[in-house]
């Protein structure tokens, strides 16, 4: 057997191993999300939790059974219900199933939300190099899979506990958009996904600096598509009721115990200045990070600013940091530490609040610790590749080669 034949045989074996591990990871991830989602669903079966907001909003849009308790005209939804802080995409999605019994809708979306987590984790796992191959790479492959399964279990538990379809939608669409950016897919599809994510949850705008991973020729078109899609979702409500944006902006917000704002002594109403500050700082930090450290680092840095400035301390707020910590680990060439950032995020964002009845102060300190560590991690650690070539398929091939050499 010649040298070229051996090289081609080894290359085909690596490809089959990569495919095998990807399918195995997919099956294991689906199993984990189903099991933990089912357990969480059973525990909240008789308590709708925050799902009641989705149900009420959807019934307003379809004027469910023409009951007078629901507003008319329907596009005044956000003016008449300023506490409904849910974007139109998810409300229309739920409204499309209002012909089904309430329990059926509840059970259906209790399956959809963990599935969105599986899609998001699969998308970000495909943004990194191929699975390492070779006899000594088994542990590294197991670490990759273990990190994803840990994130999948936490996602399924928390998302089915709190029932926040809008957060699940925004995060999963952003993850898929990043995958499409990495794979150089059509710009209009990326803009459609990111625009819908921002419309579903406005805070997702701080994740849009990932657009800087697109080539210069298509960057402007994709950014405009993102803005146009997000505006199109909200346009009917704003045109029908111009006070919609003002009503949403005046929703009363106060810092809760366990938040960083409460820790530093901010206790009064913060709705007038908080969201503009969050969006501006998050966008600025995410943009700078995307330009200097690559787009795999941008979501982590942007979400670190949100953790520091968010007035609430609900556990599901940690799903974004966990998802994009896994993305950052998957982009890292140094595979030995792949579980470190994901595991640290799971510990600080989810583990500390669940160590019994933890007082609010340690929870807030854990958030501060994660934000500081995250910013230091993405700025001091060597990225997977230079920001300019990070998304070039040739750089992915180079990363694959480095894994093979290490194996």
């Amino acid at each position: 057997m010649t040298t070229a034949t051996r090289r081609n045989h080894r290359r085909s074996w690596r490809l089959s191993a990569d495919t095998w591990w990807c399918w195995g990871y997919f099956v294991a991830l689906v199993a984990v999300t189903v099991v933990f989602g089912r357990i969480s669903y059973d525990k909240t079966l008789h308590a709708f939790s925050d799902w009641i907001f989705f149900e009420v909003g959807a019934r307003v849009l379809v004027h469910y059974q023409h009951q007078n308790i629901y507003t008319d005209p329907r596009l005044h939804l956000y003016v008449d219900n300023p506490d409904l802080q849910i974007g139109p995409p998810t409300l229309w999605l739920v409204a499309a199933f209002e012909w089904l019994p309430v329990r059926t809708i509840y059970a259906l979306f209790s399956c959809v939300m963990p599935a969105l987590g599986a899609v998001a984790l699969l998308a970000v796992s495909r943004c990194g190099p191929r699975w390492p191959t070779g006899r000594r790479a088994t542990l590294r492959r197991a670490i990759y899979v273990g990190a994803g399964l840990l994130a999948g279990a936490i996602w399924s538990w928390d998302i089915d506990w709190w029932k926040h379809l809008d957060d699940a939608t925004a995060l999963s669409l952003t993850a898929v958009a990043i995958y499409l950016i990495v794979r150089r897919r059509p710009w209009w599809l990326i803009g459609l996904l990111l625009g819908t994510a921002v419309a579903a949850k406005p805070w997702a705008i701080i994740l849009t600096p990932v657009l800087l991973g697109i080539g210069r020729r298509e960057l402007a078109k994709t950014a405009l598509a993102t803005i146009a899609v997000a505006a199109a979702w909200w346009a009917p409500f704003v045109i029908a009721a111009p006070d919609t944006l003002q009503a949403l902006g005046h929703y009363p917000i106060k810092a809760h115990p366990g938040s960083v704002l409460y820790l530093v002594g901010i206790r009064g109403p913060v709705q007038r200045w908080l969201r503009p500050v969050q969006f501006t700082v998050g966008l600025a930090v995410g943009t700078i990070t995307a330009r200097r450290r690559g787009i795999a680092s941008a979501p982590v840095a942007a979400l670190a600013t949100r953790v520091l400035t968010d007035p609430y301390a609900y556990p599901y707020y940690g799903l974004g940091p966990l998802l994009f910590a896994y993305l950052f680990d998957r982009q890292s060439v140094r595979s030995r530490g792949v579980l470190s950032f994901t595991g640290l995020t799971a510990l600080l964002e989810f583990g500390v609040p669940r160590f019994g009845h933890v007082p609010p102060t340690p929870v807030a300190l854990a958030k501060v610790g994660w934000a500081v560590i995250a910013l230091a991690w993405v700025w001091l650690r060597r990225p997977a590749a230079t920001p300019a070539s990070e998304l070039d398929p040739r750089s992915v091939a180079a990363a694959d080669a480095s894994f093979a050499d290490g194996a």
Side-chain angles (χ1 to χ4, degrees):
M1 184 181 294
T2 64
T3 304
T5 304
R6 290 195 189 96
R7 187 182 299 112
N8 292 333
H9 177 72
R10 191 182 304 115
R11 189 175 302 163
S12 63
W13 180 83
R14 287 173 183 168
L15 180 61
S16 62
D18 176 65
T19 304
W20 186 91
W21 272 95
C22 287
W23 276 106
Y25 175 61
F26 170 75
V27 173
L29 185 58
V30 170
V32 166
T33 54
V34 168
V35 170
F36 280 86
R38 177 68 185 183
I39 296 173
S40 182
Y41 170 78
D42 289 340
K43 289 183 176 295
T44 59
L45 184 60
H46 301 290
F48 270 27
S49 187
D50 289 345
W51 183 253
I52 189 64
F53 294 105
F54 293 90
E55 191 65 39
V56 169
R59 291 187 179 195
V60 170
L61 292 178
V62 299
H63 209 59
Y64 182 77
Q65 293 183 352
H66 305 285
Q67 297 181 19
N68 294 330
I69 62 173
Y70 301 118
T71 58
D72 197 18
R74 305 167 196 180
L75 295 181
H76 287 224
L77 170 66
Y78 293 100
V79 173
D80 296 335
N81 303 276
D83 58 333
L84 200 65
Q85 303 286 300
I86 301 169
T90 49
L91 288 184
W92 284 116
L93 179 61
V94 178
F97 293 91
E98 282 301 320
W99 54 277
L100 294 173
V102 176
R103 284 292 182 188
T104 303
I105 300 173
Y106 184 69
L108 173 64
F109 283 97
S110 294
C111 298
V112 169
M113 288 181 282
L116 290 174
V119 170
L121 289 167
L122 287 172
V124 299
S125 71
R126 297 300 294 166
C127 293
R130 290 178 181 174
W131 303 96
T133 57
R135 296 180 180 178
R136 292 183 296 175
T138 302
L139 178 60
R140 298 184 185 182
R141 293 193 296 264
I143 290 175
Y144 275 125
V145 173
L149 296 183
L150 173 65
I154 293 174
W155 175 293
S156 299
W157 178 272
D158 272 285
I159 208 67
D160 254 350
W161 186 276
W162 293 95
K163 301 295 188 297
H164 274 248
L165 178 62
D166 49 351
D167 288 275
T169 301
L171 290 173
S172 60
L173 291 181
T174 303
V176 175
I178 294 174
Y179 168 78
L180 296 179
I181 292 173
V182 171
R183 300 300 174 182
R184 302 295 191 187
R185 294 301 188 257
W187 60 269
W188 59 266
L189 183 56
I190 297 170
L192 176 64
L193 293 179
L194 282 179
T196 304
V198 172
K201 205 67 176 177
W203 65 256
I205 194 173
I206 67 176
L207 304 177
T208 54
V210 298
L211 288 173
L212 294 175
I214 299 175
R216 293 183 179 180
R217 294 182 179 180
E218 297 181 343
L219 176 58
K221 294 188 294 185
T222 312
L224 289 175
T226 301
I227 296 172
V229 170
W233 280 107
W234 282 99
F237 298 93
V238 176
I239 293 173
D243 294 336
T244 295
L245 297 180
Q246 183 179 3
L248 293 174
H250 285 76
Y251 177 72
I253 301 175
K254 289 186 178 180
H256 289 192
S259 67
V260 178
L261 295 180
Y262 193 92
L263 179 67
V264 298
I266 299 177
R267 308 292 167 84
V270 295
Q271 68 267 22
R272 293 185 179 274
W273 59 268
L274 178 63
R275 296 308 183 193
V277 169
Q278 276 188 321
F279 293 170
T280 303
V281 175
L283 272 173
V285 172
T287 301
I288 295 172
T289 306
R291 286 189 174 278
R292 298 294 181 87
R293 308 298 294 175
I295 68 167
S297 305
V300 174
L303 288 172
T305 65
R306 182 178 183 236
V307 168
L308 291 174
T309 58
D310 207 279
Y312 303 120
Y314 300 121
Y316 68 86
Y317 280 22
L319 294 178
L322 182 66
L323 174 64
F324 294 112
Y326 184 56
L327 169 64
F328 183 81
D329 278 342
R330 278 293 288 129
Q331 279 284 322
S332 177
V333 172
R334 287 182 276 186
S335 59
R336 293 177 182 177
V338 68
L339 188 58
S340 53
F341 193 29
T342 306
L344 180 66
T345 303
L347 174 64
L348 294 180
E349 289 287 337
F350 298 95
V352 172
R354 287 183 170 82
F355 287 153
H357 298 286
V358 180
T361 300
V363 175
L365 290 175
K367 293 180 180 298
V368 173
W370 181 84
V372 172
I373 293 173
L375 290 172
W377 206 294
V378 300
W379 277 95
L380 299 180
R381 195 179 185 188
R382 182 172 65 88
T386 59
S389 62
E390 180 181 359
L391 302 177
D392 191 325
R394 289 172 296 180
S395 68
V396 176
D400 294 341
S402 69
F403 271 127
D405 293 340

